[in-house]
């Protein structure tokens, strides 16, 4: 199972994979025999996301989405979902409503902020590892500004 999932991640990183059927065929060429329900479970448990180019690995973002768009998404999600932002040494702790931490951590990872090294999400808390205490303070300032911005209305 782990070898197959590793092969799936490598395939998705190397070339566009637009469907589970295509993924099944590519895996078969690499010597992995997997049924559609098995692939569906693998895709779900790996957290792969569907993009216009095909599946993408979480945290790596969609290469077709530019940096400006990723930062806009970060602004929107933080304004809509983050209740508080605090520094704790070189960590930044974000509080969200229940079940809100994962989407926030995901957009933080995708945004590629230079201050943020990585994230860990629980149910309502996100820990962001910063490069150091100064980076954590800078990140708190940046995210606090976004969190206190009025939520944007969605275009209809």
């Amino acid at each position: 199972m782990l070898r197959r999932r590793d092969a799936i991640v490598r395939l998705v990183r190397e070339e566009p994979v637009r469907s589970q059927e295509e993924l099944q065929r590519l895996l078969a060429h690499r010597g992995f025999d997997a049924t559609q329900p098995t692939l569906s479970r693998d895709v779900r448990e790996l957290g792969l996301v569907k993009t216009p180019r095909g599946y993408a690995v979480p945290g790596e973002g969609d290469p077709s989405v530019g940096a400006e768009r990723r930062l806009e998404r970060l602004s929107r999600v933080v304004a809509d979902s983050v209740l508080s932002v605090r520094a704790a040494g070189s960590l930044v702790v974000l509080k969200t409503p229940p079940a809100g931490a994962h989407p926030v951590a995901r957009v933080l990872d995708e945004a590629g902020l230079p201050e943020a090294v990585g994230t860990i999400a629980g149910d309502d808390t996100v820990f962001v590892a910063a490069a150091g205490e100064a980076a954590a303070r800078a990140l708190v300032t940046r995210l606090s500004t976004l969190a206190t911005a009025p939520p944007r209305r969605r275009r209809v």
Side-chain angles (χ1 to χ4, degrees), residues 56-101:
V57 176
E60 295 183 1
D62 178 356
S64 67
V65 177
E68 183 177 323
R69 183 136 179 240
R70 288 192 303 269
L71 291 175
E72 287 173 9
R73 187 180 310 151
L74 174 67
S75 296
R76 184 178 62 250
V77 170
V78 170
D80 291 347
S81 302
V82 174
L83 303 173
S84 68
V85 182
R86 292 182 51 199
S90 63
L91 291 177
V92 175
V93 181
L94 291 84
K95 295 299 278 181
T96 72

Side-chain angles (χ1 to χ4, degrees), residues 119-131:
T119 62
I120 297 175
D123 182 57
D124 63 354
T125 305
V126 178
F127 290 105
V128 183

Side-chain angles (χ1 to χ4, degrees), residues 11-152:
L11 279 167
V12 168
R13 284 181 175 149
E14 291 170 4
E15 60 186 281
V17 178
R18 291 181 173 82
S19 68
Q20 289 184 13
E21 294 79 20
E22 184 177 357
L23 180 59
Q24 189 174 28
R25 183 179 49 75
L26 292 167
L27 283 170
H29 283 105
R30 292 189 176 197
F32 294 94
D33 186 30
T35 64
Q36 192 281 325
T38 297
L39 286 180
S40 186
R41 185 174 48 252
D42 287 344
V43 166
R44 183 178 62 250
E45 290 182 12
L46 287 168
L48 298 181
V49 293
K50 205 70 177 256
T51 71
R53 290 190 61 233
Y55 287 107
V57 176
E60 295 183 1
D62 178 356
S64 67
V65 177
E68 183 177 323
R69 183 136 179 240
R70 288 192 303 269
L71 291 175
E72 287 173 9
R73 187 180 310 151
L74 174 67
S75 296
R76 184 178 62 250
V77 170
V78 170
D80 291 347
S81 302
V82 174
L83 303 173
S84 68
V85 182
R86 292 182 51 199
S90 63
L91 291 177
V92 175
V93 181
L94 291 84
K95 295 299 278 181
T96 72
H102 183 262
V104 171
R106 181 179 183 102
V107 298
L108 278 165
D109 287 336
E110 289 175 351
L113 302 176
E115 305 93 343
V117 177
T119 62
I120 297 175
D123 182 57
D124 63 354
T125 305
V126 178
F127 290 105
V128 183
E133 288 186 30
R137 286 190 300 274
L139 193 55
V140 166
T141 300
R142 176 185 269 200
L143 295 176
S144 294
T145 301
L146 296 176
T148 58
R152 297 179 185 179

